[in-house]
């Protein structure tokens, strides 16, 4: 009897959003009717979303891709001989050799799309648990030192060195301590956290367990937004399986140290992606921002010493603790103080939307044009918003900026969570500036006045500008307001809302003229 | 702690007690508890606040404050099928605003409202994490990419059956 042919069909929610489940079902039905023996396995997404649903046929260990596959393509795929890798309109060749993927340096996402997300053995056979096994026998200070040496910075947006944060918590004598994973990825244009949690959840669990061993925390929380029901289900199952297999629990891998994880769901508040608002939400309260100091490392969850890190930060730690690439290997990638790799996310009006993990330092143009292939509509690009709704709109003239924390700061922009939203020349930048204020008004926690009131006044004033009402005077007013919001807000919500607004005005003044850019 | 009828005048609510017990009556699990309660009852009604407060040893104001803070929670029942349309930047860049208008027309419901029949509520959300396949919508728990009014109507039909 011959072995069944293995076909991978993604279970990632984005792939499912364009029909991956129906493709999997139809493949099974069609195979049964033809008397062909198939084993359908579900993987995460490779992050080549314009090809989703992207199915992969395993031919002697090499995975040959076909995508985007529609249910109606399936009979023809069988007839063309896709099970032996034969040509077809949807044939994209060996997946690892697709230019978009071959040119990446995947570390955080090395297993995503490759493995069966909830199979602990598949995870292990692809290098999983190696970092945790080392951490289990290392002194905490050594773990912290390795993370520091890797140069890993917080991937949530602030870019604070992870090792320094961990060292502070390790140095605190008070217990209990906590590891809080911020999985409230709410920035439009960002989906890396979701993709990772659905495609390789154990790497996040492993990273959190290492953080626990490193700092003396015995409990971790994942704060996961309700907009990601698939990620919630996958993470919950993964936590249970990791516990059964002994990677979580009272004695991790015989270290004598305990660590366990509780997943907590969000309830539709963008502000809970701000770390102190997230901590309040984890305590069962309104997600209101706390004044700093004290920082969470001293007084975080329930007032105890707490590490707060983003999903991608924690999910990168296992590879730093393992030998591949290890701290030195990771630090050697990237540019200057922007060490390692960053998962960039191409979003919005883009021909080839997807996840690009690459060392810091490639240019925005390389990402947008070489990887992304320009706009989806085929029209000229006009702007890219980098770093989500609080990030700057970058004009085409600045596309040669290297993607590092420092170079982006120099042009008044930021990396944020690495989301890049493309806009073609149909975009009205004054409308986007008004939207930035409206979004802030909708999502402000309301604790500080510059944000709560400023956002509303900003939206009103921007509406006047768009209707041609005292444009010059109102632009002065906007600048005054921006200054107050930047200087006076408690957190980045109010403090950064002026960034998209100011960048839109600075780079696209024609959209803010008295005639609304109509001439 | 729980069911102190004499001090608060509220009546015990077995459903509330059962959900709270699942979380060991921990006040820090309030958001989880409200999510579960809303999934069971369709909303967090005013009448639920006192039993929650009693069971979790919180004030009624605290429960009310949390219910009103998070946009997922509702004090009145919503439609049988929830349709969430992403209104954020990535979806705007590929016609999200036009889609919103088309969906309102197709379903005869305004954003932020529930259809008179109680079939569908149409809500705005900011980002569903499907920004490479925008515009995105969530129908029940089903995520849609490259969403159109037709695809959304179709998904509503499926989730009713």
């Amino acid at each position: 009897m011959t072995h069944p042919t293995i076909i991978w069909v993604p279970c990632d929610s984005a792939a499912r959003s364009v029909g991956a489940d129906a493709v999997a079902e139809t493949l099974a039905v069609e195979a049964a009717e033809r008397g062909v023996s198939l084993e359908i396995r579900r993987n995460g997404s490779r992050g080549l979303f314009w090809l989703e649903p992207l199915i992969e046929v395993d031919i002697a260990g090499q995975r040959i891709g076909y995508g985007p596959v529609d249910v109606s393509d399936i009979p023809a795929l069988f007839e063309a001989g896709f099970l032996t890798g034969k040509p077809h309109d949807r044939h994209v060749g060996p997946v690892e050799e697709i230019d978009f993927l071959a040119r990446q340096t995947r570390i955080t996402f090395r297993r995503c799309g490759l493995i069966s997300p909830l199979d602990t053995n598949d995870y292990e056979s692809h290098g999983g648990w190696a970092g945790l096994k080392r951490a289990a026998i290392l002194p905490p200070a050594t773990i912290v030192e390795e993370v520091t040496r890797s140069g890993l910075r917080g991937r949530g947006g602030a870019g604070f060195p992870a090792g320094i944060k961990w060292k502070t918590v390790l140095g605190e004598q008070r217990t209990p301590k906590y590891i809080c994973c911020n999985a409230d990825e709410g920035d439009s244009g960002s989906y890396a956290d979701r993709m990772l949690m659905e495609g390789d959840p154990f790497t996040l669990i492993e990273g959190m367990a290492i953080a626990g061993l490193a700092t003396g925390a015995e409990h971790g929380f994942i704060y996961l937004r309700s907009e990601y029901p698939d990620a919630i289900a996958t993470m919950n199952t993964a936590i249970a399986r990791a516990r059964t297999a002994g990677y979580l629990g009272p004695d991790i891998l015989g270290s004598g140290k305990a660590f366990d994880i509780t997943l907590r769901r969000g309830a539709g508040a963008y502000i809970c992606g701000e770390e102190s608002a997230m901590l309040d939400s984890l305590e069962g309260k309104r997600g209101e921002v706390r004044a700093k100091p004290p920082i969470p490392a001293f007084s975080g969850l329930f007032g105890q010493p707490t590490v707060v890190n983003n999903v991608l930060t924690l999910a990168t730690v296992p590879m730093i603790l393992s030998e591949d690439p290890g701290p030195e290997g990771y630090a050697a990638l990237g540019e200057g103080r922007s060490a390692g790799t960053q998962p960039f996310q191409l979003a919005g009006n883009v021909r080839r939307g997807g996840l690009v993990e690459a060392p810091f330092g490639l240019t925005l143009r390389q990402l947008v044009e070489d990887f992304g292939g320009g706009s989806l509509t085929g029209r000229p690009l006009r702007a890219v918003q980098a770093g989500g709704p609080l990030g700057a709109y970058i004009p085409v003239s600045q596309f040669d900026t290297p993607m590092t924390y420092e170079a982006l700061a120099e042009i008044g922009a930021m990396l944020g969570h690495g989301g890049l939203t493309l806009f073609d020349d149909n975009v009205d930048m004054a409308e986007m500036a008004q939207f930035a204020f409206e979004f802030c008004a909708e999502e402000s926690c309301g604790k500080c006045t510059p944000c709560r009131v400023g956002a509303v006044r900003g939206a009103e004033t921007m509406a006047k500008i768009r209707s041609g009402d005292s444009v010059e005077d109102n632009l002065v007013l906007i600048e005054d307001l921006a200054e107050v919001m930047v200087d006076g807000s408690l957190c980045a919500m109010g403090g950064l809302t002026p960034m998209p607004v100011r960048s839109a005005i600075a780079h696209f003044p024609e959209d803010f003229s008295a005639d609304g850019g109509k001439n | 702690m729980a069911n102190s009828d004499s001090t608060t005048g509220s009546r015990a609510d077995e459903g509330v007690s059962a959900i709270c017990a699942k979380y060991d009556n921990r006040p820090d699990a309030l958001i989880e508890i409200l999510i579960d309660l809303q999934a069971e009852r369709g909303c967090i009604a005013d009448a639920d606040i006192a039993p929650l407060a009693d069971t979790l040893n919180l004030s009624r104001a605290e429960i009310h404050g949390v219910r009103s803070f998070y946009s997922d929670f509702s004090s009145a029942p919503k439609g049988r099928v929830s349709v969430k349309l992403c209104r954020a930047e990535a979806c705007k860049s590929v016609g999200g605003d036009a889609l919103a208008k088309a969906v309102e027309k197709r379903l005869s419901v305004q954003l932020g409202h529930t259809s008179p029949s109680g079939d569908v509520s149409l809500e705005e959300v900011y980002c569903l994490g499907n920004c490479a396949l925008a515009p995105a919508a969530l129908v029940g728990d089903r995520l849609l990419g490259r969403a159109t009014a037709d695809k959304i109507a179709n998904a509503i039909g499926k989730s009713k059956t």
Side-chain angles (χ1 to χ4, degrees):
Chain A
M1 191 180 147
T2 55
H3 288 293
T5 307
I6 296 165
I7 296 192
W8 294 87
V9 183
C11 59
D12 173 276
S13 58
R16 296 179 65 219
S17 83
V18 285
D21 286 352
V23 166
E25 284 158 28
T26 310
L27 279 171
V29 170
E30 193 75 25
E33 279 174 9
R34 291 167 187 262
V36 176
S37 175
L38 277 193
E39 182 187 334
I40 295 172
R41 293 189 188 165
R42 303 301 293 262
N43 55 338
S45 175
R46 300 272 195 164
L48 282 59
F49 288 110
W50 78 98
L51 290 177
E52 295 289 4
L54 170 64
I55 66 170
E56 301 177 28
V57 185
D58 187 322
I59 299 170
Q62 191 178 45
R63 284 159 67 160
I64 309 297
Y66 293 84
V69 172
D70 187 77
V71 168
S72 61
D73 296 322
I74 291 173
L77 279 167
F78 275 97
E79 271 143 41
F82 83 121
L83 294 178
T84 49
K86 294 285 186 334
H88 179 275
D89 281 354
R90 303 288 182 224
H91 181 265
V92 291
V95 175
E96 306 275 347
E97 292 170 20
I98 297 173
D99 208 35
F100 189 95
L101 195 56
R103 292 167 58 195
Q104 301 192 27
T105 305
R106 289 212 165 170
I107 294 175
T108 311
F109 280 82
R110 67 164 42 143
R111 281 176 294 261
C112 194
L114 199 58
I115 64 168
S116 183
L118 288 166
D119 183 338
T120 51
N121 295 323
D122 208 5
Y123 180 69
E124 184 159 23
S125 66
H126 285 82
W129 310 121
L132 183 59
K133 283 175 189 164
R134 265 196 77 228
I137 53 170
L138 287 177
T142 308
I143 306 174
V144 170
E145 204 265 324
E146 291 202 1
V147 172
T148 306
R149 227 163 54 218
S150 76
L152 177 68
R153 293 167 67 174
R155 296 283 183 255
F160 190 82
I164 309 267
K165 201 181 266 187
W166 290 21
K167 192 177 178 185
T168 310
V169 175
L170 172 63
E172 281 293 285
Q173 300 304 311
R174 289 187 305 138
T175 55
K177 301 175 184 178
Y178 296 102
I179 308 297
C180 291
C181 170
N182 187 341
D184 195 42
E185 172 176 66
D187 288 352
S188 176
S190 298
Y191 45 79
D193 293 356
R194 180 192 60 67
M195 214 183 116
L196 188 110
M197 290 187 287
E198 292 177 3
D200 191 15
F202 292 123
T203 192
L204 174 58
I205 292 171
E206 184 180 350
M208 289 181 71
I210 293 170
L213 294 175
T215 57
E218 295 189 346
H219 208 99
F221 287 89
I222 299 174
Y223 186 85
L224 217 173
R225 61 200 304 257
S226 63
E227 290 85 347
Y228 289 177
D230 286 19
I232 289 170
T234 304
M235 278 313 313
N236 269 326
T237 308
I239 291 167
R241 290 192 184 171
R243 201 178 282 139
T244 307
Y247 298 107
L248 293 174
D251 179 18
I252 299 175
L253 301 175
S255 65
K257 292 178 184 167
F259 188 76
D260 214 325
I261 297 175
T262 304
L263 185 148
R264 286 280 165 83
R265 291 169 289 178
Y270 175 78
I271 194 60
C272 292
E274 196 283 334
E275 63 176 4
S276 67
M278 181 190 77
L279 292 172
D280 266 25
S281 188
L282 279 171
E283 293 178 8
K285 301 172 187 163
R286 292 162 67 91
E288 285 183 4
V289 170
R290 301 176 183 176
K292 285 189 234 180
I295 56 169
F298 295 126
S299 179
L301 189 64
F302 306 116
Q304 295 296 118
T306 303
V307 169
V308 181
N309 278 143
N310 174 257
V311 171
L312 301 181
T313 317
L314 290 161
T316 303
V317 165
M319 276 61 86
I320 287 167
L321 264 286
S322 76
E323 307 206 327
D324 180 19
E328 276 72 31
Y330 193 77
L333 298 165
E335 252 186 43
R337 292 187 55 242
S338 297
T341 57
Q342 166 69 36
F344 299 99
Q345 300 128 76
L346 293 169
N349 198 334
V350 58
R351 193 153 76 88
R352 291 189 294 267
L355 182 120
V356 181
E357 183 175 354
F360 284 97
L362 78 175
T363 65
L364 180 55
R365 189 181 303 281
Q366 284 174 301
L367 281 165
V368 162
E369 293 178 1
D370 299 353
F371 283 95
S375 73
L376 178 69
T377 49
R379 299 187 62 88
L381 289 174
R382 187 151 187 243
V384 170
Q385 187 178 29
L390 307 176
Y393 287 98
I394 300 174
V396 178
S397 61
Q398 293 182 333
F399 275 13
D400 292 314
T401 308
M403 298 300 282
T404 63
Y405 292 109
E406 294 76 19
L408 286 166
E410 262 175 46
I411 61 161
M414 66 171 193
L415 179 66
H417 191 48
L420 300 168
T421 302
L422 280 63
F423 292 84
D424 72 13
D425 60 354
N426 274 327
V427 65
D428 175 350
M429 296 309 299
E431 185 189 335
M432 298 317 293
Q434 184 177 338
F435 176 76
F437 281 123
E438 286 170 352
F439 180 70
C440 183
E442 178 71 27
E443 298 294 339
S444 172
C445 79
K447 187 156 179 173
C448 72
T449 315
C451 177
R452 184 186 66 244
V453 179
V456 177
R457 293 290 171 261
E460 289 166 359
T461 310
M462 201 51 83
K464 285 183 193 163
I465 291 170
R466 290 182 64 204
S467 68
D469 179 357
S470 314
V471 172
E472 293 299 317
D473 291 349
N474 278 318
L475 280 172
V476 173
L477 211 55
I478 289 280
E479 183 47 37
D480 268 2
L481 181 64
E483 201 179 315
V484 171
M485 289 179 76
V486 169
D487 293 344
S489 298
L490 266 178
C491 81
M493 177 96 223
L496 288 176
T497 290
M499 189 182 270
V501 175
R502 280 170 156 168
S503 60
I505 296 171
H507 301 306
F508 307 95
E510 62 274 21
D511 288 18
F512 297 83
S513 59
D515 59 14
K518 287 179 190 74
N519 289 323
Chain B
M1 192 161 122
N3 306 338
S4 45
D5 294 40
S6 54
T7 52
T8 64
S10 68
R11 275 187 292 178
D13 180 323
E14 278 178 25
V16 167
S17 305
I19 290 171
C20 292
K22 230 176 85 186
Y23 296 93
D24 300 327
N25 294 343
R26 287 176 65 144
D28 57 274
L30 177 59
I31 290 154
E32 288 285 335
I33 290 166
L34 294 183
I35 293 170
D36 285 359
L37 188 63
Q38 179 157 302
E40 209 170 282
R41 299 185 175 178
C43 68
I44 315 290
D46 288 344
D48 298 333
I49 288 183
L52 280 165
D54 286 352
T55 313
L56 300 173
N57 203 18
L58 291 167
S59 73
R60 295 182 205 194
E62 283 167 315
I63 312 276
H64 173 80
V66 168
R67 180 185 68 173
S68 59
F69 184 86
Y70 294 93
S71 58
D72 283 0
F73 299 138
S74 170
S75 56
K78 291 186 181 173
R80 281 180 283 281
V81 181
S82 115
V83 177
K84 294 178 174 176
L85 271 189
C86 178
R87 308 287 293 126
E89 288 89 344
C91 289
K92 280 182 181 290
S93 77
V94 281
D97 290 345
L99 174 68
K101 286 199 186 85
V103 171
E104 283 183 326
K105 196 172 160 201
R106 176 72 182 257
L107 303 179
S108 308
V109 190
Q110 298 295 301
L111 273 163
H113 291 84
T114 300
S115 63
S117 62
D119 274 350
V120 178
S121 21
L122 185 59
E123 296 165 71
E124 296 184 310
V125 285
Y126 296 98
C127 199
L128 295 165
N130 199 15
C131 320
L133 292 170
L138 193 65
V139 178
D141 262 1
R142 185 176 180 80
L143 182 64
L144 301 180
R146 300 276 187 243
T148 60
D150 279 350
K151 279 193 191 177
I152 289 169
N154 201 354
I156 293 169
K158 278 185 188 158
S159 63
K160 277 184 194 162
T161 53

